[in-house]
Amino acid sequence: MSIFSFMLVLLFISIVIYTILRKTDVVDEPPGAIAGFFLIFLIFFSLSFVIIIPSAVLSVVSLGVNFLFGEYITYDSLLSLLTFSLLVSGFVLFWSIFLVFIGKGISSLLRFPKWLTFVLEFIFSWIVVHLSIKLVLNMKIINVSIWDNGTLILSFFVSFLFIGIDYVFTAFKQRNQNTQEHA
């Protein structure tokens, strides 16, 4: 039931985003109701994709933490774990939007070296993931429990994985730009 509610919230957010885009004249008047519906569906699909990928990663990392370190994370069913992952991903996405603007703004104003920027991004992402996990666990709407230092371990591995992927992607993108400039 909570996954269905989550999808309805995403649909509502998509409608609000579409309405804001129409009011600010970013999107022109669609040629018909079907085009407007498809644009809302595209926004909904994009939001769902942005939340489902981290949810899947969080679920896999949760299973990996249980496999490597023992039963730190207990859950009734795989659906409970997926619901937990969806809620955590939703909170992380919400807070990450603010942190990206603040973090990138501060690092560009103070001209931090790249290595310090990545360290700060890791620390901020770890804090956001950790607090989101704690928040979802304290809501007590799903049957997932994390024992002892499991939240620290889980949030560390999730943050490390995403920052690592971001670092590799940035280096790959920079290498492609350098080869295109020299060609």
Side-chain angles (χ1 to χ4, degrees), residues 83-151:
T83 305
F84 169 76
S85 299
L86 277 173
L87 291 172
V88 169
S89 296
F91 284 118
V92 167
L93 177 68
F94 176 75
W95 290 113
S96 293
I97 292 170
F98 298 112
L99 281 179
V100 165
F101 287 125
I102 293 169
K104 295 290 184 182
I106 289 173
S107 66
S108 66
L109 283 175
L110 299 177
R111 307 230 193 281
F112 289 146
K114 285 187 181 184
W115 67 269
L116 184 60
T117 303
F118 280 117
V119 168
L120 290 175
E121 283 179 7
F122 174 76
I123 291 170
F124 286 142
S125 70
W126 176 77
I127 290 170
V128 166
V129 171
H130 181 71
L131 292 178
S132 297
I133 290 171
K134 288 282 199 182
L135 178 67
V136 171
L137 288 174
N138 287 334
M139 289 171 50
K140 298 186 193 256
I141 58 173
I142 50 174
N143 295 325
V144 173
S145 299
I146 300 179
W147 305 107
D148 296 330
N149 295 326
T151 55

Side-chain angles (χ1 to χ4, degrees), residues 12-53:
F12 177 73
I13 291 171
S14 302
I15 293 170
V16 169
I17 290 171
Y18 173 75
T19 306
I20 290 171
L21 291 175
R22 287 280 316 278
K23 296 278 186 201
T24 57
D25 291 329
V26 173
V27 174
D28 292 335
E29 179 74 30
I34 294 174
F37 170 77
F38 280 132
L39 185 58
I40 291 171
F41 182 73
L42 180 65
I43 295 169
F44 170 75
F45 178 76
S46 301
L47 286 174
S48 299
F49 186 75
V50 164
I51 290 177
I52 287 173
I53 297 298

Side-chain angles (χ1 to χ4, degrees), residues 69-88:
F69 299 106
E71 294 295 319
Y72 275 104
I73 303 166
T74 57
Y75 48 90
D76 287 344
S77 65
L78 190 59
L79 185 62
S80 295
L81 183 64
L82 292 175
T83 305
F84 169 76
S85 299
L86 277 173
L87 291 172
V88 169

